[in-house]
Amino acid sequence: NIRILVLSHMYPRVDDPISGNFIHYNACSIRSKGFDVVVLTPLPYVPIFLSKSEKYSRYMKTPFESYISGIHVFYPRYLRFPGAAFHPFSCYTMYYGVQGIIKKLIHDFKPHILHAHTATPDGYVGLLLRKKFGIPIVVNLHGSDINVYPHRDYLTFRLTGKVIAGANKIIAVSKALKSAAERIARPQSGIEVVYTGCDLERFSFNEDDRVTLREKLGIPSDSPVLIFVGHILKAKGIFELLEAFLIARQKHGNLHLIVVGDGEDSFTLKQKAEAAQLSKWIHFLGARSHDEIPGWLSAADILVLPSWYEGLPNVVVEAMACKRPVIATRVGGIPEAVEDGKSGILIEKGDVGALTSAISLLISEPAKRVIMGLAGRQIVEQMFTWEKNAEKTIAVYEEVLRNASR
């Protein structure tokens, strides 16, 4: 069997079961095709003086190794200083942190390919490991690793360029991300676009969940409901969403908003909602397990994601699978999933007026919501299954192994 070693700092763990779940599903889909898969998930080492911090103490709960859905996962520690300024240096500290377990895996598991997720730090660590051990490397680009990190400092930009130019093969989750990567550096053998998958059985509209969860929140069955799912960050357009929601409620007094997620701007968002006397109408649920997301999408009527930048967010595909129309910004790979006017409405980032109009239009026309929802489900069935994701990923592996054997 062909053996794949996955390197990703994002992967489900005891303290964070939804971290990098899409990478786990990718690994499971590859394994289902007869490949052997082992996962390496480096975590920041937590010194004693940081052990009382809620964020860092969570890492301490993770064991060194475990099995998830039959996949062997290792969680080695590496030195990672907090703050964006130290991001490029984590490429080197992660490399030294995984040395021990990598030597053992090279000896015992004998991987044919190293599949690293994100350009930095994982992709660059992969380049260093290839130099030392001679394993071909495939690097998966996901979004922020191209759209955000390289533009914060020169060193990250340079390291990202080395990964794009140096990897045996690059995979991007959207055409837009592929183009953005090619503006940073020229890849040695092109970039393959492999869309993320979606579990079509799990993500489907559920009427029982809709009734139960609305009752739980005290939302009437006939009230229109918007939903936001993601990190609560300014760059996700959450404050534009709050502003648009406030305006839309003046016309549609029974409108509700469900917010699923957590993040550094959660407190500010809640404060602003209280100041605008919207607490009764906005339901903050915090971070939820991935298994709960289909139910919350079913409970809502429209997914709203007004991000400033994206790769191709999984929640957009998941909402479409649940037959929910999507209102989102025309950024990154979103237009490759959401067909404007067919499965949702695309707006420009930061445009509160356009966001408000789109919300108002879909609230006023329930029939349009149903038609868009059906169209979205059809798009997902055609383009975004884990079966297709596995087939395309495996084709990349086969190309890399053919070239390596020459």
Side-chain angles (χ1 to χ4, degrees):
N1 285 5
I2 293 173
R3 296 177 293 279
I4 308 298
L5 178 58
V6 174
L7 174 63
S8 173
H9 70 276
M10 301 179 288
Y11 208 77
R13 54 184 195 269
V14 176
D15 61 290
D16 192 352
I18 62 172
S19 173
N21 49 51
F22 51 94
I23 295 169
H24 174 60
Y25 297 139
N26 171 256
C28 288
S29 65
I30 291 160
R31 186 169 174 262
S32 72
K33 297 292 185 185
F35 286 60
D36 291 334
V37 180
V38 166
V39 177
L40 198 58
T41 301
L43 297 179
Y45 162 73
V46 181
I48 296 298
F49 69 88
L50 281 176
S51 61
K52 286 189 168 58
S53 152
E54 185 185 342
K55 177 183 175 183
Y56 290 99
S57 66
R58 292 188 314 175
Y59 292 126
M60 299 178 77
K61 297 172 187 171
T62 305
F64 180 75
E65 61 181 293
S66 69
Y67 283 87
I68 305 176
S69 307
I71 293 176
H72 202 170
V73 186
F74 293 89
Y75 299 95
R77 270 47 172 191
Y78 71 103
L79 196 60
R80 172 72 166 93
F81 297 103
F86 292 103
H87 177 81
F89 303 104
S90 65
C91 292
Y92 300 100
T93 56
M94 183 187 282
Y95 171 67
Y96 290 111
V98 302
Q99 288 293 305
I101 186 62
I102 280 286
K103 283 176 186 171
K104 180 173 167 41
L105 288 171
I106 295 291
H107 182 268
D108 297 345
F109 182 57
K110 298 180 177 62
H112 294 101
I113 285 177
L114 178 64
H115 187 164
H117 289 267
T118 72
T120 58
D122 311 69
Y124 192 76
V125 172
L127 286 188
L128 297 176
L129 292 173
R130 183 185 65 186
K131 187 176 181 182
K132 185 168 185 175
F133 298 106
I135 321 168
I137 176 174
V138 172
V139 178
N140 227 118
L141 309 177
H142 288 280
S144 296
D145 53 341
I146 295 299
N147 295 327
V148 183
Y149 306 154
H151 308 290
R152 290 195 303 212
D153 61 82
Y154 175 71
L155 183 53
T156 303
F157 186 88
R158 200 156 162 265
L159 295 174
T160 303
K162 285 188 174 185
V163 171
I164 294 166
N168 295 77
K169 193 72 182 181
I170 298 283
I171 292 174
V173 297
S174 70
K175 292 173 187 171
L177 197 61
K178 172 185 175 179
S179 299
E182 288 169 341
R183 287 194 289 273
I184 294 174
R186 179 178 291 184
Q188 60 174 275
S189 62
I191 297 179
E192 194 68 36
V193 175
V194 179
Y195 290 126
T196 189
C198 182
D199 185 333
L200 293 171
E201 285 185 28
R202 183 189 295 176
F203 284 90
S204 60
F205 176 74
N206 187 309
E207 182 64 44
D208 291 340
D209 282 346
R210 182 178 177 85
V211 172
T212 306
L213 295 175
R214 280 183 170 234
E215 282 178 359
K216 188 176 178 181
L217 297 180
I219 300 174
S221 59
D222 60 346
S223 288
V225 178
L226 310 177
I227 186 168
F228 170 92
V229 182
H231 293 298
I232 313 299
L233 303 171
K234 185 180 179 181
K236 287 284 186 180
I238 53 164
F239 296 116
E240 290 93 320
L241 174 55
L242 184 66
E243 197 177 332
F245 179 75
L246 180 60
I247 298 166
R249 276 210 74 255
Q250 293 168 7
K251 186 177 176 184
H252 310 277
N254 60 342
L255 179 63
H256 287 254
L257 169 63
I258 294 173
V259 178
V260 180
D262 211 343
E264 62 188 52
D265 292 315
S266 288
F267 181 71
T268 309
L269 186 65
K270 287 175 186 174
Q271 273 190 321
K272 286 180 178 286
E274 282 176 26
Q277 298 183 318
L278 292 172
S279 300
K280 183 184 172 184
W281 309 98
I282 301 182
H283 310 270
F284 292 98
L285 305 185
R288 295 284 169 152
S289 77
H290 197 235
D291 289 339
E292 289 184 60
I293 302 302
W296 291 113
L297 289 170
S298 296
D301 297 295
I302 305 159
L303 175 79
V304 186
L305 192 69
S307 304
W308 298 356
Y309 44 76
E310 286 286 356
L312 202 168
N314 297 304
V315 71
V316 164
V317 175
E318 291 164 354
M320 288 163 59
C322 292
K323 299 179 182 174
R324 305 295 86 184
V326 176
I327 297 173
T329 38
R330 197 179 272 103
V331 298
I334 291 176
E336 295 167 48
V338 181
E339 288 189 38
D340 190 22
K342 183 179 178 183
S343 60
I345 298 175
L346 297 177
I347 59 167
E348 299 306 319
K349 65 179 180 182
D351 191 337
V352 175
L355 180 56
T356 308
S357 297
I359 290 169
S360 223
L361 173 67
L362 290 188
I363 289 171
S364 304
E365 299 192 31
K368 187 183 274 291
R369 294 203 301 264
V370 172
I371 293 165
M372 283 185 166
L374 291 169
R377 174 76 186 189
Q378 199 171 27
I379 290 168
V380 176
E381 288 173 354
Q382 289 169 354
M383 295 173 59
F384 297 98
T385 65
W386 283 117
E387 178 76 17
K388 284 189 170 63
N389 175 277
E391 286 171 3
K392 290 195 168 187
T393 303
I394 289 166
V396 169
Y397 292 162
E398 289 170 344
E399 179 191 335
V400 167
L401 290 173
R402 274 197 309 274
N403 292 338
S405 65
R406 285 175 186 165

